[in-house]
Amino acid sequence: AMFNEHQEVIFPVEKAITYAEEALDNDDLVFSSDGVLHKDSDGKVFYSLKAQSQDLIDDGGTGTVGFYDVYQNGDVVESKPR
Protein backbone atom coordinates (compact mmCIF):
# COMPACT_ATOMS: atom_id res chain seq x y z
CA ALA A 1 0.00 0.00 0.00
CA MET A 2 2.90 2.34 0.69
CA PHE A 3 3.89 2.25 -2.97
CA ASN A 4 0.40 3.26 -4.11
CA GLU A 5 0.18 6.13 -1.64
CA HIS A 6 3.53 7.38 -2.84
CA GLN A 7 2.46 7.16 -6.49
CA GLU A 8 -0.76 9.06 -5.87
CA VAL A 9 1.20 12.02 -4.52
CA ILE A 10 3.30 12.06 -7.71
CA PHE A 11 0.31 11.46 -10.01
CA PRO A 12 -2.85 13.10 -8.66
CA VAL A 13 -6.13 12.31 -10.39
CA GLU A 14 -6.46 15.97 -11.42
CA LYS A 15 -3.36 15.49 -13.57
CA ALA A 16 -4.97 12.49 -15.29
CA ILE A 17 -8.07 14.55 -16.04
CA THR A 18 -5.89 17.31 -17.50
CA TYR A 19 -4.13 14.74 -19.72
CA ALA A 20 -7.48 13.44 -20.95
CA GLU A 21 -8.81 16.94 -21.66
CA GLU A 22 -5.69 17.78 -23.66
CA ALA A 23 -5.65 14.47 -25.55
CA LEU A 24 -9.32 14.49 -26.54
CA ASP A 25 -9.57 18.27 -26.97
CA ASN A 26 -13.36 18.42 -26.84
CA ASP A 27 -15.00 21.14 -24.75
CA ASP A 28 -18.22 19.11 -24.52
CA LEU A 29 -16.56 16.29 -22.59
CA VAL A 30 -16.56 16.13 -18.82
CA PHE A 31 -14.16 13.66 -17.18
CA SER A 32 -14.53 12.00 -13.82
CA SER A 33 -12.73 9.29 -11.88
CA ASP A 34 -13.32 7.26 -8.74
CA GLY A 35 -9.75 8.18 -7.82
CA VAL A 36 -8.57 4.56 -7.69
CA LEU A 37 -5.07 4.08 -9.05
CA HIS A 38 -4.83 0.93 -11.16
CA LYS A 39 -1.71 -0.91 -12.28
CA ASP A 40 -1.29 -2.74 -15.59
CA SER A 41 0.65 -5.95 -16.25
CA ASP A 42 3.82 -3.92 -16.87
CA GLY A 43 3.49 -2.22 -13.49
CA LYS A 44 2.49 1.14 -14.97
CA VAL A 45 -0.09 3.05 -12.97
CA PHE A 46 -3.20 4.63 -14.45
CA TYR A 47 -6.60 6.03 -13.58
CA SER A 48 -9.79 4.93 -15.26
CA LEU A 49 -11.72 8.03 -16.36
CA LYS A 50 -15.32 8.24 -17.50
CA ALA A 51 -16.04 10.70 -20.31
CA GLN A 52 -19.48 12.27 -20.42
CA SER A 53 -21.01 14.69 -22.92
CA GLN A 54 -22.29 17.85 -21.27
CA ASP A 55 -24.81 18.27 -24.11
CA LEU A 56 -26.26 14.82 -23.49
CA ILE A 57 -26.39 15.47 -19.74
CA ASP A 58 -28.24 18.73 -20.41
CA ASP A 59 -30.73 16.74 -22.49
CA GLY A 60 -31.42 14.54 -19.49
CA GLY A 61 -29.24 11.52 -20.33
CA THR A 62 -26.33 10.05 -18.43
CA GLY A 63 -24.07 11.44 -21.13
CA THR A 64 -21.54 8.66 -20.88
CA VAL A 65 -19.61 8.43 -24.15
CA GLY A 66 -16.62 6.34 -23.18
CA PHE A 67 -13.98 5.28 -20.74
CA TYR A 68 -10.27 6.02 -20.89
CA ASP A 69 -7.23 4.74 -19.06
CA VAL A 70 -4.86 7.63 -18.38
CA TYR A 71 -1.26 6.82 -17.53
CA GLN A 72 1.25 8.79 -15.51
CA ASN A 73 3.28 9.52 -18.67
CA GLY A 74 0.25 11.19 -20.28
CA ASP A 75 -0.90 8.28 -22.47
CA VAL A 76 -4.68 8.20 -22.89
CA VAL A 77 -6.09 4.88 -24.07
CA GLU A 78 -9.74 4.18 -24.89
CA SER A 79 -10.93 1.46 -22.56
CA LYS A 80 -13.87 -0.08 -20.76
CA PRO A 81 -15.38 0.58 -17.33
CA ARG A 82 -13.24 -0.82 -14.49
Side-chain angles (χ1 to χ4, degrees):
M2 288 300 289
F3 174 73
N4 278 348
E5 286 169 25
H6 183 63
Q7 284 296 135
E8 283 175 30
V9 174
I10 297 170
F11 183 37
V13 68
E14 293 80 13
K15 186 82 172 164
I17 290 172
T18 300
Y19 284 149
E21 288 172 346
E22 289 172 355
L24 290 150
D25 195 23
N26 181 339
D27 289 341
D28 180 47
L29 293 181
V30 181
F31 295 95
S32 58
S33 171
D34 59 6
V36 175
L37 205 54
H38 299 272
K39 193 181 290 189
D40 71 9
S41 54
D42 297 327
K44 291 191 253 182
V45 293
F46 65 90
Y47 289 105
S48 173
L49 299 191
K50 177 167 69 173
Q52 292 168 287
S53 160
Q54 188 64 54
D55 285 345
L56 292 176
I57 293 169
D58 292 344
D59 289 341
T62 63
T64 302
V65 292
F67 292 85
Y68 296 88
D69 293 344
V70 182
Y71 287 83
Q72 188 167 3
N73 65 358
D75 285 349
V76 178
V77 183
E78 193 159 2
S79 184
K80 57 190 185 301
R82 295 186 183 273

